[in-house]
Amino acid sequence: MAFMPVSPTWRNQRKICNFQIFSMSRLNASQNLRRKKVEDLLSNIRTSCQAGVAVDVSQATLTTILNLLSTAFFSLDLLDPNSEIAREFKKLALVITLEAAKTNFADFFPVLTRIDPQRIRRRLTIHFKKLVDLFNKMIDQRLQAKNQGLAENKDVLDSLLDISQQNSGELELSYIPHLLTLKNGVDPKSMDMDDEFGITLRIAQPLRAIPVHQESTS
């Protein structure tokens, strides 16, 4: 959405994000969830310390963040050993994070952008395509549950599906997975500090000399 041209579709997506995903009411409603996930993280670290086991803080923190997002957005617990979708989502998120963290020479030498010598851009595109397919699978399962009259989860995905069913012109069903990732594939070069499931990519900028003004002493 950040790279879409200004249009009625862009305005609709922006309004949905402001009032359904990033609204204060949504954040306040998930306060207990955030507190619980942090408490789970501290409990796991405490247990490892008592057992004398080394703790990978970065891995534990990343898992907590992913679990928080997946629970708030999809009511999906990544630590559920019986959930195939949870395992697949966690695997894709971790793989994408590792790929995005790699140094990409094409960011420093623009002439290599089209060549993509390290194949980072190609692999990221493939992984995000799998992520979109996974979201579509989750949407199909949620719609089937709704048709069967099962209890709603009242998460972000439910809110987006309700908007799509009430007014498909405001939000098409096929666009929901792209709201959760990136539209039209992945281009690390075009992303500037955009956070996608804990991934932060930064455009490489050349260093610039900063003039220093010396004070005259007399």
Side-chain angles (χ1 to χ4, degrees):
M1 189 184 70
F3 310 108
M4 292 175 59
V6 177
S7 63
T9 301
W10 177 83
R11 293 188 181 93
N12 285 335
Q13 309 310 326
R14 183 174 181 271
K15 181 176 68 174
I16 291 171
C17 288
N18 288 338
F19 290 99
Q20 296 295 333
I21 299 180
F22 304 116
S23 64
M24 288 302 300
S25 59
R26 174 73 64 180
L27 293 175
N28 292 334
S30 62
Q31 182 178 2
N32 292 333
L33 172 63
R34 295 195 300 271
R35 182 180 292 109
K36 182 180 183 301
K37 296 305 177 183
V38 173
E39 290 176 351
D40 291 342
L41 172 62
L42 296 176
S43 176
N44 293 334
I45 293 178
R46 191 178 301 112
T47 301
S48 298
C49 292
Q50 292 175 352
V53 179
V55 178
D56 188 339
V57 178
S58 61
Q59 181 71 20
T61 304
L62 176 60
T63 300
T64 300
I65 294 174
L66 292 177
N67 204 11
L68 173 61
L69 292 174
S70 65
T71 305
F73 275 65
F74 318 112
S75 298
L76 183 67
D77 187 359
L78 296 183
L79 301 180
D80 184 1
N82 299 321
S83 175
E84 180 181 354
I85 290 182
R87 292 195 300 270
E88 187 175 354
F89 177 79
K90 182 178 180 180
K91 178 182 177 181
L92 283 173
L94 292 176
V95 169
I96 291 173
T97 302
L98 293 176
E99 287 290 347
K102 295 179 179 178
T103 301
N104 191 351
F105 295 142
D107 292 339
F108 301 93
F109 304 98
V111 70
L112 300 176
T113 301
R114 291 183 177 273
I115 302 175
D116 190 22
Q118 297 165 266
R119 298 295 186 267
I120 294 178
R121 180 178 176 182
R122 177 178 178 273
R123 289 194 296 270
L124 279 174
T125 303
I126 294 174
H127 294 322
F128 269 94
K129 174 63 168 59
K130 293 180 180 179
L131 196 60
V132 170
D133 293 340
L134 180 63
F135 288 157
N136 282 321
K137 181 179 179 180
M138 296 167 62
I139 290 173
D140 291 340
Q141 292 182 355
R142 185 65 60 87
L143 290 175
Q144 185 177 359
K146 281 178 171 289
N147 293 334
Q148 294 176 354
L150 300 179
E152 296 183 351
N153 295 294
K154 298 302 180 182
D155 51 22
V156 173
L157 180 56
D158 254 346
S159 299
L160 295 178
L161 290 176
D162 288 341
I163 295 174
S164 177
Q165 292 177 338
Q166 294 170 6
N167 186 359
S168 59
E170 186 175 2
L171 177 63
E172 296 182 8
L173 183 63
S174 61
Y175 193 79
I176 292 179
H178 299 281
L179 262 182
L180 306 173
T181 56
L182 293 175
K183 189 180 176 69
N184 297 329
V186 178
D187 186 357
K189 185 176 182 299
S190 65
M191 291 192 287
D192 185 9
M193 297 304 294
D194 280 296
D195 200 352
E196 301 292 338
F197 294 99
I199 305 166
T200 302
L201 302 181
R202 187 193 303 269
I203 292 180
Q205 297 288 349
L207 297 177
R208 296 180 179 178
I210 301 177
V212 178
H213 300 284
Q214 296 181 351
E215 297 182 358
S216 58
T217 58
S218 57

